[in-house]
Amino acid sequence: MTHPICPLLIAGLAALAAAPAASQEPYREAPSRQVDDIQEDDIIVTGTRFETPLDQIGRSVDVIGAADIARRQQRFLIDALQAAPGIQPIRSGSFGAQSSLSVRGLPSAQTLVVQDGIVLNNPSSFGNAFNFATFDASDIERIEVLRGAQSTLYGSSAIGGVINIVTRDGADGFGGSAFAEGGSFGTFRGAASLRGGTARASARATISGVTTGGFSSADEANGATEEDGFNNLTVSTRARAALSDVFSVEGVIRYQDSRTEFDGFDFSTGLPTDANNIADMEELAVAGVAAARLFGGAWENRLTVAYLTNDQLNSRDAFPFDATGERLSYEYQGAVKAFERAAFIYGVEYEEQTSDVRAGFGASAAIDTISGYGLLQLKPVDGVTLNAGIRHDANDGLDGVAITRDTTLNGAGAIAIPNTGVTLRGSYSEGFRAPSVGELSLNPALQSELSRGWDIGLERRVFAGRARLKATWFRQNISDLIAFDPNMFTPVNIEAFETQGVEASAEATLTPSLSAGVSYTYTDAINISSQTPAGLQPRHRVFADIAYRPAPRLSLGATLIYNGEEELFGAVVDRYVVLNLLAAYELSDTLELFARVENATDTDYQDNPGFGTAPASVFGGVRARF
């Protein structure tokens, strides 16, 4: 029997092959659909460890830029990531409530989040998970979404993929920007940013905040009425300085203080219910980098020290939880680029993770990890880029007792087929997720989750480069998945998982004033051990985006999300469609008014059983830059 993804893949590849060829100009990254501000320079992706133009990368990568985030008026990281294929956000109610992210149908704990070289996954959370709902997007320059296992690049937790966040840098001269917006649910949000410097030194500082009364995290359809508010303050800065033609330094700081009201859980009904719960969270991320470019840049050296601390307290009626997680890492990375068509990156890293649980589930514990890796990139002929890598991680308790030993391999290639406008990509990747500090505190015998995955895809620029088509098939297997055994009341390595599917996207500048894009994901993810579909994973998901400029200063737009039917423990979550409408008007070259209607059709839906979603809501504000 033909697998259901086969017709989809064949149709996508046929469309790529049949479309008119692009002109043979150098490849340029597809423009932001800010039609009058097309970016002509190649996007350089840093999340693959090699700084490589996007068109030369063999892995499955998408880049979401600051212009796209601003045009779509997206507030938080969870909002911006919805545009990427293969991504499934899962929210637990109102603004700021715990929100996870699934990549290619895999659990959220198997996705690594990195900001400017700092791993943000929370060491005090049970599975090292990250809350995507509280990361303010105001200071983001771009988001690189790497799908598939990336443990050779980043180590533990990078099984589903890596979300690599690059924040804004400084700039020559002096400038800044600010915005303020308000709207439904008593919401007010604002941010201000200053940047400046010279060619040798620059800095950027941003402060942003939001306060909202929110809506009920437990769905009002089930009788919940209490509103769950959210307050957040974020301060961030990034600075760099070239001390000489050889040596440079860079520093990054990000501090976040948030208070989230959330609901409880009624075990008799199995549904969320009104409760007076509060989660207070403080997070500090700091990194310092010293770099030396020797022998005319043929040998690059980079030393990074990164520190993360998360301090969370659940109070009032909540199940007591009071914990602090910390991660401290030291990494040396070298790059040898002595030949034009070959480069070799190597590195060693030492990391300590600690979790101090003062109240709640789990116990205080600590682990350390020593890693070494090597990555080789070759460009044997024009249009062909190949790379391969190996990494070994030794995960020990701080008392010296060995916990896990993991070696991973990967390989990828991109081939630009001459005279066709087609680029062929493919990769093989291995990954692992070492047990978290919290999991090991309950079961010291846990071993790492292991993964092997493949993907292959085609990309084509057509219509003189005004449109881009992409299609990728992927397949991934995970063994020794860590799951909680209620009989033993402890986490154990008892499950296996399999996921496969198709990711496709198209974007085009249709006229000088009209552009559009669409991404589609088909995911077939299953827990092999229980023969049940992966929880909260639709087989079909679509994100569509359109931008129209009817007048020089007026911009209109819309985004649409279609989410297919899902299951969770036998409960069915109905499919839904959500439409957002956008508008902006430039009063001058430095001042802009903007407004949006979220869930414009007032769709009543859930994306997590029993949890509420926002009804139709309106927001508007003003943005200035100088």
Side-chain angles (χ1 to χ4, degrees):
M1 178 179 294
T2 302
H3 194 279
I5 69 169
C6 293
L8 295 170
L9 180 61
I10 293 171
L13 299 183
L16 289 175
S23 63
Q24 297 304 305
E25 299 175 356
Y27 175 96
R28 300 298 182 191
E29 163 62 359
S32 158
R33 280 178 290 283
Q34 194 169 358
V35 177
D36 62 345
D37 188 25
I38 293 176
Q39 301 296 315
E40 293 295 338
D41 295 331
D42 288 346
I43 297 295
I44 304 298
V45 176
T46 61
T48 58
R49 296 283 187 172
F50 287 101
E51 294 186 356
T52 307
L54 187 61
D55 66 310
Q56 297 177 16
I57 293 176
R59 307 182 192 283
S60 183
V61 181
D62 276 280
V63 177
I64 302 168
D68 290 311
I69 296 171
R71 180 179 54 78
R72 295 174 186 141
Q73 301 179 31
Q74 292 164 327
R75 293 167 290 197
F76 294 97
L77 178 63
I78 189 74
D79 305 316
L81 287 169
Q82 295 187 93
I87 298 295
Q88 175 66 11
I90 303 171
R91 306 173 191 260
S92 299
S94 188
F95 304 106
Q98 181 69 40
S99 295
S100 59
L101 189 83
S102 173
V103 180
R104 292 182 170 176
L106 299 177
S108 184
Q110 296 178 342
T111 297
L112 194 71
V113 183
V114 181
Q115 178 233 314
D116 299 320
I118 310 168
V119 175
L120 298 183
N121 294 55
N122 185 356
S124 67
S125 67
F126 192 68
N128 250 351
F130 175 77
N131 185 5
F132 287 85
T134 61
F135 194 105
D136 194 292
S138 300
D139 60 353
I140 294 178
E141 176 64 29
R142 69 179 185 274
I143 307 168
E144 299 171 358
V145 182
L146 286 73
R147 293 180 293 272
Q150 310 293 337
S151 287
T152 305
L153 303 176
Y154 284 100
S156 179
S157 296
I159 286 183
V162 173
I163 308 299
N164 186 51
I165 304 163
V166 181
T167 61
R168 296 178 186 272
D169 203 344
D172 291 348
F174 178 78
S177 61
F179 75 87
E181 71 171 43
S184 299
F185 317 111
T187 299
F188 176 80
R189 177 173 175 254
S193 183
L194 292 176
R195 64 186 184 280
T198 66
R200 297 193 69 88
S202 66
R204 183 269 309 163
T206 302
I207 181 170
S208 61
V210 61
T211 179
T212 178
F215 54 90
S216 177
S217 287
D219 199 335
E220 292 184 4
N222 298 326
T225 58
E226 182 223 9
E227 295 177 345
D228 293 302
F230 173 61
N231 296 283
N232 178 277
L233 174 68
T234 300
V235 180
S236 71
T237 184
R238 185 176 180 185
R240 62 169 178 83
L243 304 180
S244 69
D245 292 339
V246 173
F247 297 102
S248 63
V249 294
E250 182 177 348
V252 177
I253 301 175
R254 183 184 183 88
Y255 171 77
Q256 177 180 294
D257 185 2
S258 62
R259 166 166 284 201
T260 306
E261 298 176 356
F262 65 101
D263 283 330
F265 194 78
D266 186 340
F267 288 95
S268 64
T269 63
L271 294 173
T273 186
D274 274 342
N276 190 19
N277 299 331
I278 289 181
D280 288 295
M281 169 74 82
E282 282 189 273
E283 178 179 283
L284 175 65
V286 181
V289 180
R293 295 170 56 90
L294 306 177
F295 304 111
W299 184 24
E300 298 179 359
N301 300 268
R302 184 180 179 91
L303 179 64
T304 303
V305 180
Y307 174 74
L308 173 78
T309 179
N310 297 84
D311 193 351
Q312 181 173 343
L313 172 64
N314 291 0
S315 58
R316 296 193 182 174
D317 298 337
F319 181 84
F321 184 75
D322 183 6
T324 298
E326 294 185 331
R327 178 185 291 107
L328 176 63
S329 66
Y330 306 86
E331 180 181 14
Y332 164 75
Q333 179 176 294
V336 179
K337 302 178 179 180
F339 305 99
E340 181 180 357
R341 294 187 178 273
F344 178 67
I345 288 182
Y346 60 95
V348 292
E349 182 177 8
Y350 173 78
E351 177 185 273
E352 291 183 5
Q353 290 189 57
T354 60
S355 177
D356 181 13
V357 181
R358 295 175 288 274
F361 190 66
S364 298
I367 57 176
D368 68 5
T369 305
I370 299 177
S371 310
Y373 59 86
L375 304 165
L376 176 65
Q377 184 179 84
L378 299 174
K379 299 180 180 180
V381 297
D382 291 343
V384 176
T385 303
L386 306 173
N387 59 65
I390 184 171
R391 181 186 182 106
H392 181 73
D393 293 75
N395 195 356
D396 300 328
L398 291 184
D399 56 4
V401 177
I403 300 175
T404 60
R405 298 288 185 267
D406 299 287
T407 300
T408 52
L409 305 171
N410 73 18
I415 302 173
I417 302 175
N419 303 317
T420 65
V422 174
T423 299
L424 173 66
R425 292 187 172 86
S427 70
Y428 167 79
S429 298
E430 298 177 353
F432 74 98
R433 184 181 81 85
S436 69
V437 177
E439 290 165 334
L440 286 169
S441 70
L442 298 177
N443 183 0
L446 286 173
Q447 295 298 303
S448 296
E449 301 173 345
L450 302 175
S451 168
R452 292 182 178 179
W454 304 258
D455 59 34
I456 185 169
L458 290 175
E459 176 178 332
R460 196 172 194 204
R461 298 280 293 191
V462 295
F463 305 124
R466 291 185 292 110
R468 181 176 67 176
L469 308 173
K470 295 172 63 176
T472 301
W473 170 82
F474 65 88
R475 182 183 180 93
Q476 198 163 350
N477 299 86
I478 299 93
S479 58
D480 294 327
L481 195 71
I482 298 173
F484 192 81
D485 187 334
N487 298 320
M488 301 175 62
F489 204 72
T490 188
V492 291
N493 296 97
I494 58 174
E495 295 187 347
F497 203 88
E498 180 181 279
T499 179
Q500 60 182 326
V502 172
E503 298 156 346
S505 64
E507 53 186 354
T509 300
L510 303 173
T511 72
S513 60
L514 178 65
S515 58
V518 62
S519 65
Y520 166 75
T521 306
Y522 173 86
T523 307
D524 180 12
I526 185 171
N527 186 317
I528 299 174
S529 301
S530 60
Q531 287 298 303
T532 57
L536 300 179
Q537 296 301 318
R539 282 182 174 252
H540 306 282
R541 193 173 194 278
V542 176
F543 179 89
D545 181 19
I546 189 168
Y548 177 52
R549 188 177 288 273
R553 293 189 177 273
L554 177 63
S555 300
L556 304 175
T559 63
L560 181 144
I561 298 170
Y562 169 80
N563 197 89
E565 187 178 274
E566 306 171 0
E567 291 185 29
L568 182 65
F569 303 128
V572 175
V573 181
D574 292 336
R575 62 181 180 270
Y576 60 83
V577 176
V578 175
L579 174 67
N580 301 320
L581 302 177
L582 313 165
Y585 184 78
E586 298 173 7
L587 296 174
S588 67
D589 292 341
T590 60
L591 196 62
E592 179 186 71
L593 299 177
F594 62 89
R596 67 182 179 277
V597 182
E598 297 182 357
N599 191 6
T601 58
D602 199 24
T603 300
D604 185 10
Y605 70 101
Q606 295 181 350
D607 65 5
N608 197 348
F611 289 98
T613 53
S617 46
V618 180
F619 303 88
V622 59
R623 189 187 313 274
R625 57 185 179 273
F626 61 90

